[in-house]
Amino acid sequence: MQRFSLRTKLLLSFSTVIVVSALLSLIIGTYLVKTIIAQAQGKVKLDLNSAREVYQEESGNIKDVVRLTAVRFFIKDAVLKGHGEKLKGELQNIRDQEHLDVLTLVNRQSRVILRAHNPEVFGDQLNDDVVSHVLSRQKVVVSTQIVSKDDLERESRDLLERSRIDLIPTLQERPRTETEETSGMMIKAAAPVLDYDGELIGVLLGGRLLNRNYEIVDNVKDIVYRGEKYKGKDIGTVTIFQGDLRISTNVLRLDGDRAIGTRVSQEVYDQVIGKGVPWIGRAFVVNDWYITAYEPIKNISGNIIGMLYVGILEAPYVDLKNRAVLTFLGVAILSVTLLAIVALFTTENITRPLKELLFATQKVAQGNLSHRLRVKSGDEIGQLVGSFNQMTGELQKATEKYQVLTRTLEDKVAEKTEELRKAQDQLIQTAKLTSLGKLAAGIAHEVNNPLTSILINSHLVAEKLSEDDHFQENMRLIIDETTRCGAIVKGLLDFSRQTPPEKNISDLNEVVENTLQMLKSQILVHEIQVKKDLDRELPEIMIDVNQIKQVFTNMILNALDATPKGGWLTVRSQMASDKQFVEITFQDTGHGIEKGNIGKIFDPFYTTKGMAGSGLGLSVSYGIMRQHGGTIDVQSEPGKGTTMTIQLPVTEYQEDEAV
Amino acid sequence: MENKAKILVVDDEVPVCRSISSALEPEGYLVDQALSGEEALQKEGENRYDVIIADLMMPGMSGMDLLRAVKEKRSDIVVIMITGYPSMKTAVQAVKLGAFDYLPKPFAPSELRNLISRALERKRIYEEKAPVEEKAMAKTPLPEGLYCIPGHSWAKLEDDGNVRVGIHELYLRTVKNFSSIKFPDENEKVSQGETCLWVVDTAGNLHRLWSPVSGRVISINEEVEEDYSRVMEDPYGSGWLLLIKPLRFEEELENLLPFDKE
Ligand SMILES: Nc1ncnc2c1ncn2[C@@H]1O[C@H](COP(=O)(O)OP(=O)(O)OP(=O)(O)O)[C@@H](O)[C@H]1O
Ligand SMILES: [Mg+2]
């Protein structure tokens, strides 16, 4: 299953449902058709009952006519006194009224007294089973009987004519050699004629020929089927068979005539005539298939002489069945198609968004976050699509934010890098100072020991010398210089210990003035012009005056050292442009500093002055500035001069620190 | 006791040992030398020295270790630390541990001699019965809220945040013939453990007094300047010497001892 796409899987499962439902509807359809046919057969059976009813009623009618006529006096009289014109008239009258084909009066010896139909022929012996029956049993009787050609002829020529039927070949008929049927089938009723004492004196026989007499069959049709037609054909058909021959029917031939003369199929004949068992079922009648019911008609002796048939045209049922089958098939096909379409649509509906989702996911994976899916349905897929859109939206937002962040981050990084670089420069400087501190501590220890020895011993020597010894002067020098060495070392140690500044709110201009005042003599010696450009509006700031004085001293002395006689030193104080710092610049017209050396001047022990300089001035100044949160900036052009800019932060005056 | 005091000089550098010895021997002291703490400890076991002068920074057993070891055995011994690295932390730690005093290198023989004489005086105070008046002096009530470098100076935080600084009574007692005080200038910077003023005796010798706090001198006690006997009479009260604006008193307080714990 894995190699099938989701779509195929969905379609397959849908198809299964489709096929199963189609099969199911077919099964239901055939079952329905079968029930319809079964019902039709049931109906036909009932119809046959109705037909029999009608047939028997007809027989009953004839019987009643005969019975009622037989008791009339003129009949008795006629038998007793012989026939007269009155009998003839009466019987003919009754025969006409009651549509009887035969109305014959016989005496006890079965001699014909009068044939109402044919008065000319009489006195002959009448061999009739029905009459015999009455004679022997003295009871009214009715029965369907075959009437031979001769008997018919005796009765009347037109009866012969009516009953004579040409055999018409049809499909599936029972084969027969004759080409015509000359005998007829008649419902006969006979009643005893009694004298006034109740003695049987004769029999009255009445009969109605069934051949070409459509009264019964049409009656049944009208009663049972009410003339219903299907495609121009009567739905219901009724037939009376004489033997296998249709003698009275409303089954029509193709040319529209009643199918008189056609015969029943072998199959039906064998069952109904042969075995005397009713036939219920499909049968081919004349030209069409019918759902039929046949039952035998027996004569008075109990022999089967004919059949009564009713049949319902199968076509409506077949058509119904076909229609049902077709409908079911149609419904099946329709539902299959519909289902298929729905399946296709649904799978499409399911798979398309999924495909789109897949596509979109790939896009997202490739980094395209602006891709959006259209939300179409409110179902889970729709929700999924919605969620996906939301997700990508959030992602996009986040990414945008991230990008903005990255950008600002980049800026920040650049900024920080710059800061860091500066900090690193400072750190290097600090590291240098720290290592200087360690160095100084080491030096102090190492140097102090020899100094101690020198100092003690020179003192001891000096003590030994007399007051006026001329070496006293030398010893004094040794002692003083050694003491100075000790002071230098102590200074170094102080520096290495980096004592935190002791800050007070102070006027920076005043510090500048004091420093210049302190260095007045040196400035004079160097023959340098000092120009002061002090901003009197400067705010007072928090500084360690002594340390800052030290810084200024270093700056001024360096400037003096660098500037030849007649040069200028400009000392300027002002607010920095950002108002956060106070700026003091020392600008000289000295020899300047080589570009490559600018980086070194803050290094401890870096000096270009040989024995005259210690190289600590600027590094100490740097340390002090650092502890003040300030900076020293150098700008120098060899041959032209140097500008040292010192910046000190303007701090909020704080009460507690000022106390 | 006179000049027959026995002194042991301990320094890892021979020239220093010799120099110190030759500065002290003419004074009549019996001076021994040791080049390490271990050696010093061993020699101390053999001879009972009155004074041990030991370098703080020595390889192996440091001056501190030696001090601890020696003081454990003999509480009456006077130990003077010398150091080429005058860090208040180690110096005051040494004093806290029982060192009598310390001397930063380089120093002149006179400074050392003055210190030795003070040290021996201190030892004498401990060992011999001090004169009655001096004893009485020692019983000067010790005020509350005073913190000191034992045997040197005291500090007291005033309500205005400044610190009053004075001399420890014991210090005065070790200085024979106290005459005057050489004060620092006003506004001068002082550091804890470093010289804040000099005590002058009648012979004109200068004795360093270590400052108990770091800061700036705001004022000096002019009354004392007029009449130095005030210091002797009331060393913890009207005999105060300096008013200092402290720099980090809280922090430095842990290097000092409360007076009564001395
Ligand atoms: N204004 C200046 N003009 C030219 N060069 C200068 C100037 N200031 C400093 N320098 C250079 O920087 C070096 C370092 O100066 P720094 O003050 O640290 O030490 P120094 O002046 O050499 O010695 P010290 O200040 O310890 O006596 C100087 O030797 C000098 O070469
Ligand atoms: Mg310089």
Side-chain angles (χ1 to χ4, degrees):
Chain A
M1 265 319 240
Q2 264 149 313
R3 61 208 159 81
F4 294 125
S5 69
L6 178 62
R7 192 194 146 115
T8 318
K9 284 185 208 170
L10 280 169
L11 277 178
L12 271 173
S13 44
F14 267 117
S15 307
T16 316
V17 175
I18 288 162
V19 168
V20 166
S21 54
L23 278 174
L24 220 76
S25 56
L26 257 171
I27 289 165
I28 292 167
T30 33
Y31 172 76
L32 259 170
V33 166
K34 270 190 186 153
T35 7
I36 286 168
I37 287 175
Q39 276 177 353
Q41 285 179 350
K43 185 182 185 308
V44 124
K45 224 162 144 187
L46 287 174
D47 292 349
L48 186 63
N49 288 343
S50 307
R52 196 194 307 126
E53 284 298 301
V54 173
Y55 188 88
Q56 281 170 356
E57 201 181 277
E58 187 78 4
S59 304
N61 272 344
I62 296 168
K63 187 181 167 188
D64 287 342
V65 170
V66 172
R67 182 169 55 88
L68 291 174
T69 310
V71 294
R72 288 179 65 176
F73 294 115
F74 73 90
I75 295 288
K76 293 178 201 257
D77 290 343
V79 176
L80 290 172
K81 296 160 190 172
H83 125 77
E85 271 314 299
K86 189 183 179 227
L87 175 72
K88 187 182 159 190
E90 283 290 345
L91 280 188
Q92 272 180 346
N93 225 358
I94 292 165
R95 193 193 73 94
D96 285 348
Q97 266 176 18
E98 299 299 330
H99 304 295
L100 292 175
D101 291 313
V102 173
L103 192 57
T104 302
L105 183 66
V106 295
N107 64 12
R108 246 199 93 102
Q109 290 74 41
S110 295
R111 286 207 182 271
V112 176
I113 296 166
L114 180 75
R115 285 189 168 89
H117 204 226
N118 193 8
E120 275 79 55
V121 182
F122 64 91
D124 54 314
Q125 185 74 31
L126 189 70
N127 283 322
D128 190 293
D129 291 344
V130 180
V131 174
S132 312
H133 196 92
V134 175
L135 283 175
S136 57
R137 300 196 189 166
Q138 297 195 11
K139 266 191 180 159
V140 184
V141 75
V142 66
S143 173
T144 309
Q145 296 293 109
I146 297 292
V147 187
S148 68
K149 182 189 165 193
D150 295 339
D151 284 346
L152 285 172
E153 205 170 8
R154 266 194 289 273
E155 253 343 284
S156 87
R157 276 218 70 87
D158 69 282
L159 273 186
L160 185 67
E161 233 6 73
R162 246 176 65 198
S163 69
R164 203 193 61 85
I165 293 170
D166 293 324
L167 299 189
I168 296 163
T170 49
L171 293 166
Q172 298 190 18
E173 66 181 359
R174 173 180 165 263
R176 226 168 114 169
T177 46
E178 307 96 323
T179 57
E180 61 167 18
E181 178 60 66
T182 48
S183 60
M185 199 163 83
M186 193 178 275
I187 299 171
K188 284 184 179 169
V193 179
L194 305 175
D195 63 9
Y196 297 101
D197 302 324
E199 282 298 309
L200 181 73
I201 51 171
V203 175
L204 183 66
L205 175 72
R208 201 173 285 160
L209 187 66
L210 290 171
N211 299 41
R212 288 198 177 89
N213 181 342
Y214 306 118
E215 206 177 317
I216 295 173
V217 292
D218 286 354
N219 228 350
V220 175
K221 197 179 92 176
D222 287 346
I223 292 164
V224 178
Y225 300 109
R226 292 187 185 85
E228 264 180 78
K229 283 180 186 293
Y230 182 77
K231 287 183 183 165
K233 286 176 186 166
D234 291 317
I235 277 189
T237 51
V238 186
T239 301
I240 299 166
F241 284 89
Q242 179 185 343
D244 63 350
L245 184 70
R246 285 186 183 84
I247 52 166
S248 172
T249 184
N250 38 40
V251 176
L252 301 182
R253 287 201 323 239
L254 283 176
D255 54 17
D257 291 341
R258 292 179 191 255
I260 302 297
T262 57
R263 300 199 310 277
V264 81
S265 66
Q266 179 76 55
E267 222 184 335
V268 178
Y269 179 86
D270 287 347
Q271 185 173 324
V272 183
I273 309 274
K275 293 177 188 160
V277 178
W279 167 283
I280 309 266
R282 256 180 114 232
F284 189 79
V285 177
V286 186
N287 298 306
D288 295 297
W289 282 97
Y290 284 82
I291 298 156
T292 60
Y294 291 83
E295 67 175 24
I297 298 173
K298 292 173 182 169
N299 64 9
I300 197 150
S301 327
N303 298 322
I304 298 166
I305 53 162
M307 295 183 291
L308 184 61
Y309 147 93
V310 291
I312 307 168
L313 200 58
E314 200 192 25
Y317 292 96
V318 170
D319 283 358
L320 189 71
K321 187 186 100 178
N322 287 346
R323 250 204 333 271
V325 169
L326 270 176
T327 307
F328 271 108
L329 217 75
V331 165
I333 287 166
L334 202 80
S335 50
V336 163
T337 341
L338 261 169
L339 262 170
I341 289 166
V342 167
L344 257 172
F345 187 72
T346 327
T347 50
E348 188 61 16
N349 255 359
I350 293 167
T351 53
R352 191 179 24 76
L354 284 179
K355 267 187 206 157
E356 280 176 22
L357 253 171
L358 189 69
F359 178 71
T361 316
Q362 284 164 350
K363 285 232 147 168
V364 169
Q366 284 161 12
N368 179 357
L369 294 177
S370 56
H371 193 81
R372 289 284 178 286
L373 294 167
R374 272 165 300 135
V375 188
K376 272 183 195 148
S377 54
D379 60 9
E380 289 86 344
I381 299 241
Q383 286 170 10
L384 183 61
V385 167
S387 303
F388 177 84
N389 283 343
Q390 201 185 339
M391 181 194 77
T392 40
E394 293 297 323
L395 248 165
Q396 193 175 16
K397 265 192 247 160
T399 315
E400 275 160 15
K401 259 192 219 160
Y402 170 75
Q403 277 167 350
V404 170
L405 220 86
T406 316
R407 242 172 276 132
T408 47
L409 220 100
E410 275 164 6
D411 292 350
K412 281 238 172 81
V413 164
E415 207 175 283
K416 282 279 167 207
T417 313
E418 182 58 24
E419 267 176 37
L420 243 153
R421 204 184 52 72
K422 280 187 183 165
Q424 204 179 27
D425 285 353
Q426 287 208 341
L427 220 101
I428 291 168
Q429 203 56 42
T430 311
K432 278 175 185 165
L433 286 173
T434 314
S435 62
L436 171 73
K438 281 182 188 151
L439 193 70
I443 287 169
H445 186 67
E446 295 304 319
V447 170
N448 269 330
N449 282 338
L451 283 181
T452 307
S453 297
I454 295 166
L455 198 59
I456 290 171
N457 286 299
S458 45
H459 268 290
L460 292 178
V461 171
E463 280 167 16
K464 277 282 189 297
L465 295 175
S466 62
E467 290 288 333
D468 54 349
D469 197 299
H470 68 283
F471 280 117
Q472 272 297 359
E473 174 67 19
N474 305 82
M475 290 319 294
R476 192 71 264 145
L477 268 172
I478 294 172
I479 289 164
D480 285 353
E481 286 303 280
T482 312
T483 310
R484 204 163 75 86
C485 280
I488 290 169
V489 169
K490 185 179 182 297
L492 213 63
L493 281 167
D494 283 346
F495 164 70
S496 77
R497 267 189 279 158
Q498 297 276 354
T499 48
E502 189 194 327
K503 291 181 195 171
N504 280 306
I505 191 91
S506 316
D507 179 0
L508 214 52
N509 288 328
E510 203 177 293
V511 181
V512 172
E513 301 263 26
N514 286 346
T515 312
L516 283 170
Q517 183 64 34
M518 200 175 75
L519 298 172
K520 214 161 85 183
S521 54
Q522 270 105 321
I523 294 166
L524 267 173
V525 169
H526 279 84
E527 294 179 35
I528 304 288
Q529 303 289 317
V530 174
K531 200 185 143 198
K532 285 186 284 180
D533 181 6
L534 304 179
D535 180 358
R536 294 289 160 195
E537 304 291 297
L538 274 193
E540 297 199 323
I541 57 171
M542 295 292 290
I543 50 166
D544 183 321
V545 174
N546 286 321
Q547 286 189 349
I548 296 300
K549 210 186 254 176
Q550 201 184 333
V551 173
F552 290 174
T553 308
N554 282 328
M555 296 294 145
I556 294 164
L557 289 179
N558 283 347
L560 295 183
D561 288 341
T563 312
K565 282 187 166 76
W568 281 88
L569 167 64
T570 311
V571 184
R572 188 177 294 122
S573 72
Q574 66 192 67
M575 279 303 277
S577 46
D578 60 4
K579 306 272 176 208
Q580 302 286 308
F581 291 88
V582 175
E583 240 175 41
I584 313 287
T585 54
F586 299 90
Q587 183 178 8
D588 63 47
T589 56
H591 53 63
I593 309 162
E594 294 288 332
K595 258 235 145 58
N597 292 335
I598 287 185
K600 298 180 193 163
I601 61 170
F602 292 98
D603 290 357
F605 306 117
Y606 173 80
T607 180
T608 54
K609 298 168 190 171
M611 296 300 280
S614 71
L616 285 175
L618 283 180
S619 58
V620 168
S621 300
Y622 180 88
I624 291 169
M625 289 312 292
R626 196 168 59 91
Q627 290 194 320
H628 276 80
T631 55
I632 305 175
D633 182 62
V634 194
Q635 273 181 338
S636 187
E637 213 176 306
K640 282 201 172 171
T642 305
T643 306
M644 295 290 215
T645 308
I646 285 163
Q647 286 198 328
L648 284 162
V650 178
T651 38
E652 284 294 310
Y653 178 83
Q654 282 173 343
E655 198 68 43
D656 51 340
E657 279 188 63
V659 174
Chain B
M1 125 131 249
E2 280 82 44
N3 284 344
K4 285 296 167 193
K6 282 197 282 183
I7 298 173
L8 178 65
V9 180
V10 191
D11 198 305
D12 57 314
E13 282 190 28
V14 181
V16 177
C17 279
R18 280 202 192 143
S19 301
I20 293 171
S21 296
S22 50
L24 294 178
E25 272 162 356
E27 303 296 310
Y29 302 118
L30 297 171
V31 186
D32 267 350
Q33 296 170 27
L35 289 171
S36 69
E38 292 86 347
E39 194 190 338
L41 209 57
Q42 187 209 322
K43 284 197 165 159
E44 207 315 296
E46 293 158 10
N47 311 281
R48 286 175 68 89
Y49 298 105
D50 298 301
V51 178
I52 292 178
I53 301 166
D55 193 7
L56 260 176
M57 301 264 286
M58 286 188 294
M61 189 183 212
S62 74
M64 269 315 215
D65 300 334
L66 178 64
L67 172 69
R68 270 189 217 104
V70 162
K71 272 282 164 186
E72 209 167 279
K73 286 207 272 182
R74 285 178 58 201
S75 61
D76 67 320
I77 196 163
V78 177
V79 180
I80 293 166
M81 311 305 303
I82 50 173
T83 176
Y85 195 113
S87 138
M88 180 53 200
K89 231 180 169 183
T90 39
V92 169
Q93 268 169 17
V95 175
K96 256 178 151 179
L97 273 169
F100 168 67
D101 209 339
Y102 58 91
L103 194 57
K105 290 177 185 175
F107 47 86
S110 56
E111 275 188 84
L112 182 64
R113 287 178 199 135
N114 292 341
L115 194 51
I116 297 288
S117 76
R118 272 184 57 227
L120 290 172
E121 190 60 28
R122 169 70 170 272
K123 194 165 188 300
R124 196 180 56 79
I125 292 167
Y126 272 123
E127 283 174 355
E128 295 166 20
K129 295 293 166 213
V132 177
E133 61 271 20
E134 273 180 308
K135 252 193 170 172
M137 220 170 81
K139 278 175 187 156
T140 308
L142 308 174
E144 288 265 312
L146 262 63
Y147 293 86
C148 67
I149 297 174
H152 274 266
S153 53
W154 55 263
K156 182 175 187 267
L157 187 66
E158 296 291 317
D159 292 340
D160 60 1
N162 288 332
V163 173
R164 213 172 283 275
V165 169
I167 197 163
H168 197 282
E169 179 218 341
L170 259 177
Y171 191 102
L172 282 173
R173 283 164 68 190
T174 57
V175 177
K176 280 183 267 180
N177 310 313
F178 164 73
S179 110
S180 65
I181 285 168
K182 195 169 167 251
F183 282 106
D185 291 339
E186 269 182 28
N187 221 23
E188 203 171 286
K189 234 169 110 174
V190 293
S191 296
Q192 189 185 43
E194 289 183 23
T195 316
C196 64
L197 53 82
W198 305 82
V199 177
V200 187
D201 61 21
T202 42
N205 295 318
L206 299 174
H207 305 268
R208 296 166 187 272
L209 185 76
W210 306 130
S211 176
V213 291
S214 300
R216 187 163 299 279
V217 177
I218 293 172
S219 63
I220 58 176
N221 191 346
E222 282 166 12
E223 286 178 28
V224 169
E225 216 171 8
E226 282 163 20
D227 177 9
Y228 291 110
S229 64
R230 276 177 179 275
V231 183
M232 305 285 282
E233 283 157 16
D234 187 10
Y236 304 133
S238 60
W240 65 273
L241 301 176
L242 303 171
L243 191 65
I244 290 176
K245 188 194 165 199
L247 209 55
R248 39 178 187 274
F249 186 61
E250 297 278 296
E251 195 184 304
E252 287 177 337
L253 208 57
E254 59 188 64
N255 295 326
L256 305 176
L257 275 180
F259 234 52
D260 38 10
K261 287 213 179 134
E262 194 199 336

